[in-house]
Amino acid sequence: LHEMEMCSHDTIGAVTVLVRTGRVKTSPVALETALGQVLVDWETDGDRVKVSLSQFLPRFAAKNPTAEEVCRALRISKDKLADRPIESAATSRFKLIVPLIDKETVYGLEPDFEYLWSLCDKYQTTGFYPYAKEPDDDPFLFCARQFPCRAGYPEDPATGVAASALSAYLLRHGFIPRQGGWNEITVRQGEAMGKPSLIYAACYVEGDEVTATRISGSARMDR
Protein backbone atom coordinates (compact mmCIF):
# COMPACT_ATOMS: atom_id res chain seq x y z
CA LEU A 1 0.00 0.00 0.00
CA HIS A 2 3.03 2.32 0.06
CA GLU A 3 6.55 2.57 -1.30
CA MET A 4 9.33 1.01 0.75
CA GLU A 5 12.30 3.32 1.20
CA MET A 6 14.64 0.32 1.11
CA CYS A 7 13.89 -3.34 0.32
CA SER A 8 16.80 -5.74 0.63
CA HIS A 9 15.25 -8.94 -0.72
CA ASP A 10 13.92 -7.15 -3.81
CA THR A 11 17.37 -5.61 -4.33
CA ILE A 12 18.92 -9.09 -4.21
CA GLY A 13 16.34 -10.27 -6.73
CA ALA A 14 16.86 -7.30 -9.05
CA VAL A 15 20.65 -7.59 -9.08
CA THR A 16 20.36 -11.34 -9.70
CA VAL A 17 18.27 -10.63 -12.80
CA LEU A 18 20.71 -7.95 -13.98
CA VAL A 19 23.65 -10.34 -13.61
CA ARG A 20 21.89 -13.35 -15.13
CA THR A 21 20.73 -11.36 -18.16
CA GLY A 22 24.18 -9.86 -18.71
CA ARG A 23 23.19 -6.25 -18.08
CA VAL A 24 25.58 -6.00 -15.12
CA LYS A 25 29.06 -7.44 -15.58
CA THR A 26 31.14 -5.94 -12.75
CA SER A 27 30.83 -5.68 -8.99
CA PRO A 28 29.99 -3.58 -7.01
CA VAL A 29 26.83 -1.90 -8.30
CA ALA A 30 25.54 1.35 -6.79
CA LEU A 31 21.77 1.68 -6.36
CA GLU A 32 19.88 4.80 -5.37
CA THR A 33 17.11 4.32 -2.80
CA ALA A 34 14.91 6.73 -0.90
CA LEU A 35 17.22 6.22 2.09
CA GLY A 36 20.39 6.91 0.11
CA GLN A 37 22.89 5.10 -2.06
CA VAL A 38 23.42 1.38 -1.42
CA LEU A 39 26.48 -0.50 -2.65
CA VAL A 40 25.78 -4.03 -3.86
CA ASP A 41 28.50 -6.67 -4.28
CA TRP A 42 27.88 -9.89 -6.15
CA GLU A 43 29.77 -13.02 -7.13
CA THR A 44 28.84 -16.20 -8.91
CA ASP A 45 29.13 -19.54 -7.14
CA GLY A 46 28.27 -22.26 -9.61
CA ASP A 47 24.71 -21.58 -10.77
CA ARG A 48 24.09 -19.24 -7.83
CA VAL A 49 24.62 -15.47 -7.64
CA LYS A 50 25.51 -14.39 -4.11
CA VAL A 51 24.49 -10.78 -3.52
CA SER A 52 25.56 -8.60 -0.59
CA LEU A 53 24.28 -5.09 -0.03
CA SER A 54 25.30 -2.43 2.41
CA GLN A 55 22.96 -1.11 5.07
CA PHE A 56 23.40 1.89 7.35
CA LEU A 57 24.81 2.27 10.86
CA PRO A 58 22.60 0.91 13.67
CA ARG A 59 20.07 3.09 15.49
CA PHE A 60 17.90 2.19 18.47
CA ALA A 61 14.65 3.75 19.63
CA ALA A 62 14.49 5.50 23.00
CA LYS A 63 10.82 4.59 23.51
CA ASN A 64 9.45 1.08 22.99
CA PRO A 65 6.17 -0.76 23.65
CA THR A 66 5.60 -2.47 26.97
CA ALA A 67 5.57 -6.24 27.31
CA GLU A 68 1.82 -6.05 27.94
CA GLU A 69 1.23 -4.15 24.70
CA VAL A 70 3.35 -6.54 22.67
CA CYS A 71 1.68 -9.62 24.15
CA ARG A 72 -1.74 -8.20 23.36
CA ALA A 73 -0.68 -7.49 19.76
CA LEU A 74 0.76 -10.98 19.27
CA ARG A 75 -1.99 -12.69 21.31
CA ILE A 76 0.45 -14.46 23.61
CA SER A 77 0.99 -14.65 27.36
CA LYS A 78 3.99 -12.95 28.97
CA ASP A 79 5.66 -16.29 29.68
CA LYS A 80 6.20 -16.65 25.92
CA LEU A 81 8.55 -13.67 25.93
CA ALA A 82 12.26 -14.40 26.35
CA ASP A 83 14.14 -12.52 29.06
CA ARG A 84 15.59 -9.99 26.63
CA PRO A 85 14.70 -6.39 25.74
CA ILE A 86 11.84 -5.51 23.42
CA GLU A 87 13.47 -2.83 21.31
CA SER A 88 12.99 -1.08 17.99
CA ALA A 89 16.21 -1.18 15.96
CA ALA A 90 17.22 -0.05 12.51
CA THR A 91 20.02 -0.21 9.99
CA SER A 92 17.56 1.35 7.52
CA ARG A 93 13.87 1.19 8.62
CA PHE A 94 12.95 0.66 12.27
CA LYS A 95 11.64 -2.80 13.18
CA LEU A 96 10.45 -3.84 16.64
CA ILE A 97 12.61 -6.76 17.76
CA VAL A 98 10.53 -9.09 19.97
CA PRO A 99 12.40 -11.98 21.66
CA LEU A 100 10.32 -15.15 22.14
CA ILE A 101 11.17 -18.29 24.05
CA ASP A 102 11.25 -20.79 21.18
CA LYS A 103 10.62 -21.54 17.53
CA GLU A 104 7.21 -23.06 18.21
CA THR A 105 6.00 -19.83 19.76
CA VAL A 106 7.28 -17.80 16.79
CA TYR A 107 5.61 -20.08 14.25
CA GLY A 108 2.34 -20.26 16.18
CA LEU A 109 1.70 -16.49 16.29
CA GLU A 110 -1.70 -15.19 15.18
CA PRO A 111 -1.48 -11.43 15.76
CA ASP A 112 -4.20 -8.87 16.30
CA PHE A 113 -3.13 -6.87 13.27
CA GLU A 114 -5.18 -3.74 13.85
CA TYR A 115 -3.72 -3.37 17.34
CA LEU A 116 -0.23 -4.31 16.13
CA TRP A 117 -0.41 -1.59 13.47
CA SER A 118 -1.62 0.94 16.03
CA LEU A 119 1.45 0.19 18.15
CA CYS A 120 3.67 0.65 15.10
CA ASP A 121 2.12 4.08 14.62
CA LYS A 122 2.44 4.96 18.30
CA TYR A 123 6.10 3.95 18.56
CA GLN A 124 7.12 4.93 15.01
CA THR A 125 8.33 1.53 13.87
CA THR A 126 7.52 -0.14 10.54
CA GLY A 127 6.75 -3.65 11.75
CA PHE A 128 7.13 -6.35 14.40
CA TYR A 129 10.01 -8.82 14.10
CA PRO A 130 9.47 -11.64 16.63
CA TYR A 131 12.42 -14.02 16.72
CA ALA A 132 13.84 -16.98 18.62
CA LYS A 133 17.05 -18.96 18.74
CA GLU A 134 16.95 -22.06 16.56
CA PRO A 135 17.10 -25.23 18.72
CA ASP A 136 20.65 -26.31 17.88
CA ASP A 137 24.23 -25.53 18.89
CA ASP A 138 24.83 -22.77 16.33
CA PRO A 139 24.82 -19.47 18.31
CA PHE A 140 24.32 -17.48 15.10
CA LEU A 141 21.18 -19.22 13.76
CA PHE A 142 17.73 -17.72 14.41
CA CYS A 143 14.17 -17.93 13.14
CA ALA A 144 11.87 -14.94 12.74
CA ARG A 145 8.64 -13.61 11.25
CA GLN A 146 7.91 -10.09 10.03
CA PHE A 147 4.54 -8.37 10.38
CA PRO A 148 4.74 -5.04 8.52
CA CYS A 149 2.67 -1.99 9.29
CA ARG A 150 -0.20 -1.52 6.83
CA ALA A 151 1.82 -2.74 3.86
CA GLY A 152 -1.15 -4.37 2.13
CA TYR A 153 -0.15 -7.87 3.26
CA PRO A 154 0.03 -9.23 6.82
CA GLU A 155 3.40 -11.01 6.69
CA ASP A 156 6.63 -10.91 4.72
CA PRO A 157 8.56 -14.10 3.84
CA ALA A 158 11.95 -12.34 3.71
CA THR A 159 12.92 -9.01 5.27
CA GLY A 160 16.56 -8.10 4.97
CA VAL A 161 16.22 -4.75 6.74
CA ALA A 162 14.66 -6.52 9.74
CA ALA A 163 17.29 -9.27 9.85
CA SER A 164 19.97 -6.57 9.70
CA ALA A 165 18.32 -4.73 12.60
CA LEU A 166 18.23 -8.03 14.52
CA SER A 167 21.97 -8.57 14.01
CA ALA A 168 22.71 -5.09 15.38
CA TYR A 169 20.39 -5.68 18.34
CA LEU A 170 22.03 -9.02 19.19
CA LEU A 171 25.49 -7.49 19.11
CA ARG A 172 24.43 -4.44 21.14
CA HIS A 173 23.19 -6.61 24.00
CA GLY A 174 25.89 -9.28 23.85
CA PHE A 175 23.51 -12.05 22.77
CA ILE A 176 25.98 -13.41 20.18
CA PRO A 177 29.76 -13.77 20.43
CA ARG A 178 31.55 -10.59 19.29
CA GLN A 179 34.78 -10.48 17.31
CA GLY A 180 36.65 -7.97 15.20
CA GLY A 181 35.55 -7.90 11.56
CA TRP A 182 32.29 -9.25 10.23
CA ASN A 183 29.86 -10.84 12.74
CA GLU A 184 27.22 -12.67 10.71
CA ILE A 185 23.94 -14.30 11.73
CA THR A 186 21.64 -16.52 9.68
CA VAL A 187 17.89 -15.95 9.88
CA ARG A 188 15.25 -18.41 8.72
CA GLN A 189 12.11 -16.52 7.74
CA GLY A 190 8.94 -17.35 5.83
CA GLU A 191 8.74 -20.98 6.96
CA ALA A 192 5.48 -20.39 8.84
CA MET A 193 4.03 -19.10 5.53
CA GLY A 194 5.33 -22.01 3.46
CA LYS A 195 7.69 -19.56 1.70
CA PRO A 196 11.08 -20.26 3.33
CA SER A 197 14.02 -17.90 3.02
CA LEU A 198 17.55 -17.70 4.38
CA ILE A 199 18.96 -14.26 5.19
CA TYR A 200 22.55 -13.54 6.16
CA ALA A 201 22.96 -10.34 8.19
CA ALA A 202 26.29 -9.01 9.43
CA CYS A 203 27.80 -6.12 11.39
CA TYR A 204 31.44 -5.11 11.00
CA VAL A 205 33.10 -4.43 14.35
CA GLU A 206 36.17 -2.25 14.85
CA GLY A 207 37.13 -1.92 18.50
CA ASP A 208 33.85 -1.41 20.35
CA GLU A 209 32.04 0.13 17.40
CA VAL A 210 29.92 -1.22 14.55
CA THR A 211 31.25 0.57 11.48
CA ALA A 212 29.33 -1.18 8.70
CA THR A 213 26.35 -3.49 8.16
CA ARG A 214 25.30 -5.70 5.27
CA ILE A 215 22.71 -8.22 4.09
CA SER A 216 23.50 -11.22 1.87
CA GLY A 217 21.46 -13.81 0.05
CA SER A 218 20.57 -15.42 -3.25
CA ALA A 219 17.49 -15.36 -5.44
CA ARG A 220 16.02 -17.96 -7.76
CA MET A 221 14.92 -17.03 -11.29
CA ASP A 222 11.92 -19.14 -12.26
CA ARG A 223 12.07 -18.15 -15.93
Side-chain angles (χ1 to χ4, degrees):
L1 297 177
H2 55 84
E3 181 180 358
M4 302 297 179
E5 298 93 339
M6 171 66 207
C7 186
S8 299
H9 68 274
D10 280 346
T11 301
I12 289 171
V15 171
T16 298
V17 171
L18 291 171
V19 172
R20 286 293 185 209
T21 56
R23 282 175 279 181
V24 165
K25 299 182 184 299
T26 60
S27 176
V29 180
L31 298 181
E32 291 290 343
T33 77
L35 288 178
Q37 188 180 92
V38 173
L39 287 178
V40 183
D41 290 287
W42 61 270
E43 61 182 8
T44 56
D45 180 11
D47 60 355
R48 185 172 72 110
V49 179
K50 181 182 179 182
V51 182
S52 298
L53 57 145
S54 61
Q55 298 284 276
F56 303 93
L57 293 181
R59 295 172 291 148
F60 301 92
K63 186 178 180 183
N64 295 288
T66 66
E68 289 77 12
E69 288 175 316
V70 168
C71 287
R72 176 181 166 188
L74 295 179
R75 292 180 171 148
I76 58 174
S77 57
K78 285 184 70 174
D79 63 353
K80 298 299 183 182
L81 294 173
D83 186 19
R84 294 180 172 185
I86 296 168
E87 184 175 42
S88 197
T91 58
S92 58
R93 295 194 307 276
F94 274 102
K95 297 294 179 183
L96 185 70
I97 308 300
V98 181
L100 300 180
I101 58 171
D102 55 29
K103 181 176 184 176
E104 289 71 28
T105 301
V106 174
Y107 284 17
L109 293 173
E110 296 182 358
D112 177 342
F113 286 106
E114 289 293 339
Y115 184 66
L116 185 152
W117 298 335
S118 74
L119 290 181
C120 288
D121 293 338
K122 180 179 178 180
Y123 293 98
Q124 298 184 315
T125 194
T126 65
F128 275 43
Y129 203 55
Y131 83 95
K133 179 73 184 63
E134 283 277 1
D136 61 22
D137 294 332
D138 185 346
F140 301 99
L141 181 60
F142 299 86
C143 63
R145 296 174 71 181
Q146 208 268 139
F147 304 117
C149 182
R150 296 188 180 88
Y153 48 90
E155 184 171 354
D156 194 2
T159 320
V161 298
S164 184
L166 175 61
S167 69
Y169 161 95
L170 293 168
L171 267 181
R172 169 181 168 89
H173 295 290
F175 297 144
I176 57 174
R178 175 189 286 253
Q179 63 182 11
W182 286 109
N183 295 251
E184 186 173 78
I185 65 169
T186 301
V187 181
R188 297 182 185 274
Q189 193 181 322
E191 291 183 347
M193 304 172 62
K195 296 176 180 287
S197 65
L198 277 177
I199 308 167
Y200 304 95
C203 294
Y204 194 88
V205 173
E206 293 183 277
D208 293 329
E209 300 293 325
V210 173
T211 59
T213 61
R214 74 179 183 198
I215 293 295
S216 303
S218 300
R220 183 185 69 244
M221 288 182 62
D222 288 331
R223 60 181 177 176

